[in-house]
Amino acid sequence: MTSIGGAGTSGMVDWNLAVATATRLVRPGPEVTRDEARAVVAELRRHAKAAEEHVRGYTRMIPDGHQPEDTPVLVVDRAGWIRANVAGFRELLSPLLDKMQERRAATPGGTVLSAVGGKVTGVELGMLLSFLASRILGQYETFAPATRELPAGTDGAGRLLLVAPNIVHVERELEVSPHDFRLWVCLHEETHRTQFTGVPWLRDHLQGEIQSFLAATDVDPSTVVERLREAAQALVGGRPEGEQGEPAPSLVELVQTPEQREILGRLTAVMSLLEGHADYVMDGVGPDVVPSVAEIREKFQQRRARGASRLDLALRKLLGLDAKLRQYRDGERFVRAVVDQVGMDGFNRVWTSPNTLPTKSEIAKPADWVARVHRKADS
């Protein structure tokens, strides 16, 4: 097994054990022949290339003649998605985990506890990743350290992942056109790629907000581990619930200080914008290049809303995934309302600087964003 970024067995999380656990536990993908698998991979690569042209033409985010930084498009299986995300998590979470490690090392027996706890947490993180690895269709990895198996843009600038077995599974489950569904997924993910390659300051801004959020965390390591344990136990038959039978707080809700709540409000607004914009673009481009887009959208929305089971709903709450579903819905409404009022070029002022990003309240009230950004710019 390839080591994840060096000393994968030290610290608060045994990252290599997380990869090994997730890879061992992840469910097998749909049955396909070797020729069918090769055909799926080839078609996804073609669609990703076509989606790039469609998205850039529709969004007008990248001026003609401008060549943004290139980031790779990788078609991966579930194990590949796991390895990529563990590498990304390790890089993004290292400041918080280092802080927790220092706190634990200062307590009696802390070094021994860290060694044991790192393995326990690695197993539990692996269990959660095995759950998620069968559900993600595609992902633009904004913070993506390059590895031997998984290249990334310059200085970890990003990469686009398309998870082939999951795409095939969902297209079969929904009984939709495979050709149309694969292009539809690529349109969504390519929009995220365009957002970050077309807006040079966006990645650093988002990374700064996340690091500020993590730096403000003041939480006992055992509490975070307990939340991971609750989520992992749910996968093997437990219930992630509180003492009165109420759903346990999500991992995000757990670590909020007053300063973090402010940062989280800004992050929520940005993520709602990015997810909603991707949904808006995929549906806007869709009718011209995806003949069955209306059927796909209706069936996919129904699937997204209902979840797979009570267990799935509980884990979505614990991991904060229910908030992500709201981000798709609220963000898409914001983008649609702004474009209807001031057009695509007017909407694109959102990418001018961090100051023109919508606030959380403006996501709910798009007219307030229009009044603030356009009135100030036009006065």
Side-chain angles (χ1 to χ4, degrees):
M1 180 184 65
T2 302
S3 176
I4 302 298
T9 59
S10 64
M12 297 296 298
V13 181
D14 187 331
W15 297 104
N16 287 337
L17 186 56
V19 172
T21 301
T23 303
R24 185 177 69 253
L25 296 179
V26 70
R27 292 184 297 179
E31 292 186 8
V32 294
T33 67
R34 180 169 296 184
D35 288 343
E36 287 173 332
R38 288 173 177 166
V40 170
V41 170
E43 184 172 27
L44 286 172
R45 287 174 176 160
R46 290 196 302 272
H47 283 333
K49 185 64 178 177
E52 180 179 338
E53 180 179 349
H54 294 315
V55 169
R56 291 184 182 185
Y58 187 80
T59 63
R60 301 200 290 275
M61 290 179 62
I62 299 176
D64 291 339
H66 177 68
Q67 287 297 325
E69 182 175 8
D70 188 38
T71 55
V73 177
L74 308 179
V75 181
V76 298
D77 58 11
R78 291 170 178 175
W81 180 88
I82 288 167
R83 289 192 297 272
N85 276 266
V86 167
F89 287 157
R90 179 171 184 169
E91 178 165 288
L92 196 60
L93 296 177
S94 59
L96 173 62
L97 296 178
D98 289 346
K99 181 178 179 180
M100 293 168 65
Q101 175 77 358
E102 290 174 4
R103 175 180 292 189
R104 174 161 283 183
T107 63
T111 302
V112 175
L113 287 173
S114 290
V116 175
K119 292 187 178 300
V120 172
T121 308
V123 170
E124 290 164 346
L125 178 60
M127 294 175 71
L128 294 180
L129 287 170
S130 72
F131 169 81
L132 295 171
S134 62
R135 286 160 170 76
I136 304 299
L137 301 181
Q139 173 186 5
Y140 185 75
E141 277 198 290
T142 315
F143 313 106
T147 69
R148 184 174 60 187
E149 298 174 320
L150 297 163
T154 305
D155 297 324
R159 59 183 165 228
L160 177 59
L161 304 179
L162 297 169
V163 190
N166 296 350
I167 293 172
V168 172
H169 171 78
V170 173
E171 69 192 26
R172 290 179 179 179
E173 178 186 328
L174 298 182
E175 298 181 333
V176 294
S177 163
H179 174 83
D180 287 3
F181 184 73
R182 294 167 193 175
L183 178 55
W184 189 71
V185 170
C186 288
L187 290 171
H188 181 100
E189 302 307 333
E190 176 57 38
T191 303
H192 286 316
R193 185 167 176 248
T194 298
Q195 290 163 349
F196 284 95
T197 57
V199 184
W201 54 263
L202 184 58
R203 178 181 181 272
D204 288 342
H205 172 72
L206 193 59
Q207 185 174 34
E209 291 281 59
I210 292 172
Q211 294 303 335
S212 296
F213 180 88
L214 296 177
T217 298
D218 186 17
V219 62
D220 184 80
S222 62
T223 309
V224 175
V225 171
E226 181 60 28
R227 284 293 171 263
L228 282 171
R229 183 168 293 115
E230 288 177 352
Q233 287 172 347
L235 293 174
V236 293
R239 289 176 62 192
E241 295 182 340
E243 294 179 0
Q244 285 76 41
E246 295 297 323
S250 74
L251 292 171
V252 171
E253 293 169 337
L254 177 71
V255 293
Q256 287 186 54
T257 63
E259 181 183 356
Q260 283 181 306
R261 281 193 290 271
E262 291 185 13
I263 299 170
L264 189 61
R266 296 195 297 269
L267 281 171
T268 299
V270 174
M271 298 310 297
S272 296
L273 170 68
L274 299 180
E275 296 294 358
H277 183 235
D279 266 12
Y280 178 84
V281 171
M282 72 194 297
D283 287 345
V285 174
D288 291 332
V289 297
V290 183
S292 59
V293 64
E295 177 193 3
I296 291 173
R297 165 56 73 187
E298 181 180 2
K299 290 183 175 180
F300 193 78
Q301 288 286 58
Q302 291 172 355
R303 181 183 187 274
R304 182 188 273 176
R306 67 174 179 264
S309 65
R310 177 184 174 86
L311 170 62
D312 193 49
L313 292 173
L315 279 166
R316 276 165 39 177
K317 165 62 179 174
L318 186 62
L319 299 174
L321 300 181
D322 55 342
K324 187 174 180 67
L325 298 180
R326 290 194 297 273
Q327 289 170 2
Y328 286 110
R329 183 180 63 248
D330 297 344
E332 196 275 340
R333 280 201 296 255
F334 170 84
V335 176
R336 185 172 301 279
V338 172
V339 173
D340 285 349
Q341 188 169 347
V342 296
M344 184 64 75
D345 291 333
F347 165 79
N348 280 340
R349 290 190 184 181
V350 78
W351 312 117
T352 304
S353 75
N355 292 330
T356 56
L357 292 172
T359 64
K360 190 175 180 180
S361 64
E362 287 172 342
I363 289 288
K365 296 181 179 179
D368 290 353
W369 179 87
V370 173
R372 175 174 67 88
V373 172
H374 281 261
R375 183 182 302 154
K376 181 177 180 180
D378 295 339
S379 60

